Amino acid sequence: MKIKKYTAPTMPEVMKEVRKDFGTDAVILQSKEVKKGGFLGMFKKTFIEVVAGVDPEPLISKPIPSEQQNTKQTQHIQNRKVKEENPLRDEIVNLQRLIEVQGRQSKHEFTPVYQLAYEHLLAQELSPTIAEQLIKAVKDDETNQGYSDLESILIKVKQLISKRLNQVDIGFTYDQRIVQFVGPTGVGKTTTIAKIAAKLYLEEKKKVAFITLDTYRIAAVDQLKTYAKILHIPVEVAYSTEDYRNAVEKFSSFDVILVDTAGRNYRDDQYMEEIKEWPSSLQVTNYLVLSMTSKPKDMLDIYKRFQLLGIRGVVFTKLDETEQYGNILNLCWNNKIRIGYMTNGQDVPEDVIQPTVEEMTNLIMSDNNEY
């Protein structure tokens, strides 16, 4: 990594020099105020000192060759065609799977067909505890007339999941006009904010403004400015607590202010302390942004950590980058949360949805993954 130290009277001037040398891929490693100049130790001026760096050889993921993509698409079409031409195929496959599962021991003492339903839920990355509770609830149901086939069991499980999700609040709401989006790095906060801003501006006719606190990554600032320009929404960059307050004051006439925060390692105690030190005098609504590609345990850990800030709701991102959606139910099972939005692509403002209970249930049960 190439590293260089910069000094200037103000942070914007420093950032201008950093961008000039390293471009938008630069990372701020350290920043502090220093005193310089003066006479006999007096009349010293305050400067901003920043240490920035850039990796000259970033890792670049290799794109899938178009020929390979075409092969996958062709295989998918062929599989679907075979399924349509052979209506008994699913039944035969299920019988084969039942025979296979009979050879596996289960500590839950499920019969083979219930064991198969249990494993179906695990394949969707549901928590083993939740999956077990669902299967036992179906098995012990007093109205159960002896579900003997997989389809009937999964239909009943689906009804139980739907009933549970009906207890979840759905919809993007906020008590205060300042809405902060928090979350770990890489979940897509900046793009998500742009999508939500577009919906508020275009569909609800709200007067929207942006503030970004993510000065850790220069590219994030430029990205939000680009979205702001396209949407004709003003944006302010806050390098300090004072800048934050001034920006809020500047946008006092706006209906809603969407705030992009820095994404960092959520296990970093210093980062969490920095979040807590944001202006306590400002009344804000916090939304936690979570990626559907996260591992189940990690997602629960992230939610637990950020819950200390007072989370109003969550936004699930990257639905299009996975085929397992059990995390939705894992998070909702024991936590009273609100699901604001879900995002399913990079396009602004199209790829954002406010899901229904039916849509979420279908995702979890893998009935319809074409999002």
Side-chain angles (χ1 to χ4, degrees):
M1 173 178 279
K2 294 181 180 179
I3 298 176
K4 187 175 179 180
K5 183 185 293 184
Y6 298 84
T7 305
T10 65
M11 179 62 82
E13 291 179 76
V14 174
M15 301 304 283
K16 184 178 179 181
E17 292 300 315
V18 173
R19 190 181 289 105
K20 180 180 177 182
D21 289 349
F22 290 151
T24 58
D25 292 328
V27 174
I28 305 304
L29 303 176
Q30 182 182 11
S31 64
K32 63 180 180 179
E33 291 186 352
V34 295
K35 301 287 186 179
K36 284 192 175 185
F39 178 71
L40 297 178
M42 302 174 63
F43 310 112
K44 289 186 176 181
K45 293 183 178 180
T46 301
F47 286 77
I48 303 297
E49 183 180 278
V50 166
V51 178
V54 66
D55 189 345
E57 298 180 357
L59 293 175
I60 303 176
S61 59
K62 296 182 179 179
I64 299 175
S66 57
E67 184 178 336
Q68 185 177 345
Q69 290 179 328
N70 292 335
T71 301
K72 288 185 176 181
Q73 292 174 354
T74 301
Q75 184 64 44
H76 177 73
I77 293 173
Q78 290 176 345
N79 290 341
R80 186 171 60 185
K81 187 176 180 181
V82 169
K83 184 175 180 180
E84 292 173 350
E85 293 176 351
N86 296 274
L88 296 178
R89 179 178 178 275
D90 284 349
E91 186 175 344
I92 294 172
V93 170
N94 285 337
L95 285 174
Q96 291 174 335
R97 291 167 63 193
L98 281 171
I99 294 171
E100 291 174 2
V101 81
Q102 284 178 330
R104 295 197 289 268
Q105 293 293 325
S106 171
K107 66 178 181 179
H108 312 294
E109 297 182 354
F110 292 144
T111 59
V113 69
Y114 279 96
Q115 177 68 20
L116 200 56
Y118 172 74
E119 292 181 4
H120 174 84
L121 297 181
L122 294 185
Q124 305 313 310
E125 295 192 348
L126 256 73
S127 155
T129 301
I130 296 175
E132 180 182 352
Q133 290 181 38
L134 287 168
I135 298 301
K136 282 187 174 180
V138 175
K139 185 172 178 288
D140 300 337
D141 187 357
E142 292 181 359
T143 64
N144 183 348
Q145 299 300 315
Y147 298 123
S148 58
D149 63 285
L150 180 62
E151 184 179 359
S152 298
I153 294 172
L154 292 181
I155 287 175
K156 186 62 180 179
V157 169
K158 186 175 179 179
Q159 292 172 355
L160 293 176
I161 291 175
S162 181
K163 183 178 179 180
R164 191 64 176 242
L165 290 177
N166 268 305
Q167 301 173 19
V168 176
D169 294 326
I170 299 174
F172 183 76
T173 64
Y174 45 94
D175 296 324
Q176 288 78 32
R177 64 191 186 90
I178 305 173
V179 184
Q180 292 183 153
F181 292 84
V182 300
T185 182
V187 295
K189 287 193 297 297
T190 304
T191 305
T192 297
I193 290 172
K195 293 173 183 176
I196 294 175
K199 288 187 73 70
L200 293 174
Y201 176 69
L202 299 173
E203 297 179 11
E204 301 183 26
K205 309 303 178 184
K206 297 288 187 182
K207 193 177 179 183
V208 183
F210 287 140
I211 297 176
T212 178
L213 309 181
D214 190 2
T215 56
Y216 181 75
R217 294 183 304 121
I218 296 176
V221 175
D222 290 341
Q223 184 183 12
L224 192 61
K225 284 183 175 179
T226 299
Y227 288 134
K229 184 177 181 180
I230 294 172
L231 298 170
H232 303 289
I233 292 174
V235 59
E236 286 290 320
V237 182
Y239 295 98
S240 64
T241 299
E242 184 179 357
D243 288 345
Y244 192 2
R245 289 198 183 94
N246 291 338
V248 170
E249 180 64 28
K250 181 177 180 178
F251 296 140
S252 59
S253 63
F254 284 73
D255 298 321
V256 58
I257 302 171
L258 303 182
V259 183
D260 188 11
T261 65
R264 303 265 287 279
N265 183 356
Y266 68 94
R267 291 190 176 91
D268 185 346
D269 292 333
Q270 182 179 350
Y271 168 56
M272 298 304 294
E273 288 300 321
E274 288 175 3
I275 296 179
K276 292 178 184 178
E277 291 174 1
W278 290 338
S280 57
S281 60
L282 297 178
Q283 298 297 314
V284 302
T285 298
N286 288 312
Y287 270 87
L288 175 61
V289 183
L290 297 169
S291 170
M292 284 303 306
T293 61
S294 300
K295 292 186 290 187
K297 184 179 183 304
D298 287 345
M299 183 174 285
L300 291 172
D301 288 346
I302 293 168
Y303 181 79
K304 184 177 180 180
R305 290 279 284 176
F306 280 94
Q307 204 174 18
L308 301 175
L309 302 177
I311 299 299
R312 177 58 181 273
V314 300
V315 177
F316 289 113
T317 64
K318 303 188 179 183
L319 267 71
D320 56 314
E321 296 184 20
T322 183
E323 293 184 348
Q324 286 78 40
Y325 302 94
N327 267 332
I328 299 173
L329 192 61
N330 292 340
L331 196 62
C332 298
W333 193 261
N334 292 316
N335 300 298
K336 184 174 176 56
I337 69 169
R338 168 178 291 276
I339 298 177
Y341 285 111
M342 291 182 172
T343 71
N344 57 333
Q346 292 296 315
D347 291 343
V348 177
E350 293 86 356
D351 294 336
V352 60
I353 56 174
Q354 204 166 69
T356 64
V357 169
E358 182 182 5
E359 288 169 339
M360 289 190 291
T361 304
N362 286 340
L363 283 172
I364 294 168
M365 293 299 293
S366 73
D367 288 351
N368 178 18
N369 289 350
E370 295 179 3
Y371 251 76

